[in-house]
Every structure is written in C-alpha cells, then in structure tokens.
Amino acid sequence: MKRILLASLLIMATTQVFSQVRLGLTAHPNFGFLKVENGKGNGVSTGFSYGLMSDFEFAENYSFATGLTVTTINGKATILNYEPFSLLSSSTTNSAEYDVKFKMQYIEIPLSVKLKTDENDGMKWYGQFGLTADIRIGARQDVKSGNIVYAEDTKATGNTKFLRAGMIIGGGMEYRLSGKTSLLTGLTYNNGLTNIAKNNESIRNHYVALNIGVFF
C-alpha cells in the first residue's frame, strides 16, 4: 500500500512538473568580438543562432531556462606573433602583427534561471542569468600579416579547443499572442569564460545577441 501511494505521488509530481514545460523556437543574430592577451580586439562581427528553447516553470514567475541551439560566433583581432603562422615568417628577429578572424560554430546549451514579472496587458518582463556549455562543430579562420595572406576561410579545428563555457546575462519581454503562444524578444550578453585557442595563445570570444523567439 505504501509503495502504491509513493508511486502515485511521484506520478502526480512528475505530471505537475511536465505540465509546466514550455517549448519554443528561436532564430536571431548576434554580434561577436574577441579579447586576446597578446594583442587587441578588432571590431564586431555578425553571427547567427537558431534552435530550440524551453522554460521549466518550477514556481510562479520563476523558470529554469535551457535549450539547444546552433550558434555561430565570429570575431576579429590583431595578434602579435600568432602561432603557428609566425613560425612560417621569413623574419625571425622582428615581431609581427597578424590580423585574424575566427568563425566558430557551436552547439550551445544554456543553463540559466529566468525571473519574470506578473503579466500586464499580455506582456511580461524577464531577467535571465546563468551559464552555457558549448560544443564546437565548426571552426574556420582568416589570417594575414601586411600584404601576406596565410589563411583564407581555412579549417581551424587544429588551432581551437573543442569545448567552450560562457556566462550569460540578459533580459527582455514576452508578449502573449493568444492562448499559450507568446512572442519573446530581448538582449543577452554571453561572456566567454574559457580560452578557445590552442598553442600559446589566450583568446576568448564573446557576443551580444538580439533574442527573437516564439513559445508555443
């Protein structure tokens, strides 16, 4: 009898939890940039993200937000003696600057907490904070120094790391269109926590995203 009662309670709790899951689709641009230890960032490059998003509402106005997206993070930098290309240079005595552009693509899994206001005229405001776990699925780069082009849209998996971690903070609004369907828009800043480069370089990529999505 106790086992039956316990099983019933577990089923009820599971049903309650899963009844509060919201799923949606997202597709939005982002604006990436690099921070390097041995050089400087060189402007902003546009990227793109698309995939699934979900909210697990564990309390009123509180959600665990996650998802699965394909995210492209592009960025440019000027790096001093960028390896391994500096080893190919004919000059071994003078330092040289290399203009590098990374075009990185990841499967991104956000793990965050979302706090929402009460709904007013169909609209809710939210704030979001958490981490992302990223798995590299593509890496390409452009490299040049002066008038010499060393790489142009060349595969860069040998120069970059397989995993990336980021910290996210953001906010925005949801607007209820009808029933359970809501339009989401906002901004997110993703701060790269880990070095994406191999060799002796220290390079971190970051981006600001203009979030657009629909919950169903």
Side-chain angles (χ1 to χ4, degrees):
M1 185 65 182
K2 290 182 179 180
R3 292 181 179 179
I4 295 175
L5 180 60
L6 180 60
S8 300
L9 291 173
L10 288 174
I11 292 173
M12 291 173 62
T14 303
T15 303
Q16 180 67 19
V17 169
F18 279 94
S19 68
Q20 298 175 4
V21 175
R22 303 173 68 211
L23 297 176
L25 299 174
T26 182
H28 55 260
N30 65 57
F31 307 92
F33 56 98
L34 299 178
K35 290 183 180 179
V36 299
E37 186 176 277
N38 195 25
K40 61 180 180 180
N42 192 14
V44 174
S45 300
T46 57
F48 200 74
S49 180
Y50 63 92
L52 301 173
M53 58 182 183
S54 61
D55 277 6
F56 293 79
E57 298 178 344
F58 57 86
E60 186 176 3
N61 294 338
Y62 296 91
S63 300
F64 172 70
T66 184
L68 183 69
T69 62
V70 176
T71 299
T72 301
I73 310 174
N74 298 327
K76 299 179 289 185
T78 299
I79 304 174
L80 186 64
N81 296 333
Y82 177 55
E83 293 185 10
F85 299 96
S86 61
L87 304 177
L88 303 177
S89 174
S90 59
S91 174
T92 58
T93 58
N94 297 323
S95 297
E97 291 184 338
Y98 293 79
D99 294 322
V100 182
K101 180 176 182 179
F102 280 103
K103 293 168 274 188
M104 305 295 298
Q105 191 173 57
Y106 299 95
I107 292 177
E108 186 173 84
I109 304 171
L111 306 168
S112 64
V113 175
K114 185 183 289 185
L115 290 74
K116 304 177 184 178
T117 64
D118 292 329
E119 185 174 312
N120 184 19
D121 293 330
M123 186 168 61
K124 288 185 177 183
W125 295 95
Y126 72 88
Q128 188 174 1
F129 179 80
L131 301 172
T132 61
D134 305 342
I135 301 170
R136 186 198 65 205
I137 57 174
R140 307 193 77 82
Q141 65 181 355
D142 301 331
V143 182
K144 70 175 183 177
S145 179
N147 295 323
I148 303 175
V149 176
Y150 290 95
E152 188 172 4
D153 199 33
T154 303
K155 189 175 181 180
T157 52
N159 297 340
T160 56
K161 294 183 179 179
F162 181 65
L163 298 176
R164 174 188 182 273
M167 180 178 69
I168 58 174
I169 184 169
M173 57 86 70
E174 285 186 34
Y175 182 74
R176 183 162 54 85
L177 299 175
S178 63
K180 296 181 179 180
T181 304
S182 297
L183 175 68
L184 177 144
T185 184
L187 289 174
T188 297
Y189 171 58
N190 186 303
N191 181 63
L193 299 176
T194 55
N195 183 13
I196 68 167
K198 294 182 179 179
N199 303 321
N200 296 318
E201 306 297 338
S202 177
I203 303 172
R204 288 172 170 78
N205 55 0
H206 318 271
Y207 69 82
V208 176
L210 176 60
N211 299 325
I212 301 170
V214 178
F215 278 113
F216 299 98

